Amino acid sequence: MLRAIIGLLGGLTALAPDRIVAAFERLAVDNPDEVEPRPGIAAALRAEGAAIVAISLIGGRAYAWTMYVTGAFGALLLAVPRAYREIAVRVLYDDPDAVAWSGGFDSVLRLVGALYLLVGIREFRRGRNTE
């Protein structure tokens, strides 16, 4: 069930990357009308979404390893959300200094990090139980 949900989210990302960016900005940025994402962000999101769909369909070790990486990334988000913001702003935006992050965004990042970590732990435990 979780794999299907992850695949569906990947499909939505692949089909509507501009809407994903707009939703992210509404949640994360106080001044979305004043900043411009880099030109290749939509294409990168589309590729990431397609990869997630493929990995979800394939399953097996590819899916398990992807969830392990997701869990590790979640641990970092949970522990140091400001480090994520510092990296993300430079990757996502042409003028990173112009981005004003929303006040409560670190809490959102920690929540997402906790969910990612739980997904990674779940997959790790499933893998250990099948050995």
Side-chain angles (χ1 to χ4, degrees):
M1 177 71 164
L2 181 61
R3 196 169 93 191
I5 293 169
I6 290 171
L8 178 64
L9 291 173
L12 291 173
T13 301
L15 293 173
D18 293 329
R19 286 186 172 183
I20 298 296
V21 170
F24 170 81
E25 287 183 334
R26 278 193 305 275
L27 183 65
V29 180
D30 280 338
N31 59 341
D33 296 332
E34 299 171 23
V35 296
E36 189 67 31
R38 291 187 188 274
I41 293 302
L45 279 174
R46 184 170 279 120
E48 179 185 16
I52 290 169
V53 168
I55 288 168
S56 294
L57 289 172
I58 293 168
R61 291 207 183 271
Y63 176 80
W65 278 101
T66 302
M67 293 305 102
Y68 299 159
V69 170
T70 300
F73 180 70
L76 290 173
L77 277 177
L78 185 60
V80 285
R82 288 187 180 138
Y84 167 80
R85 283 191 294 130
E86 289 300 316
I87 294 167
V89 75
R90 293 188 180 352
V91 171
L92 296 174
Y93 292 99
D94 283 330
D95 185 9
D97 295 329
V99 175
W101 293 103
S102 296
F105 189 56
D106 281 358
S107 297
V108 173
L109 288 175
R110 287 183 194 276
L111 176 63
V112 170
L115 291 172
Y116 282 8
L117 181 58
L118 290 173
V119 166
I121 290 169
R122 177 184 181 270
E123 191 60 36
F124 181 76
R125 292 185 71 182
R126 285 186 63 206
R128 303 268 299 171
N129 290 336
T130 59
E131 290 178 355

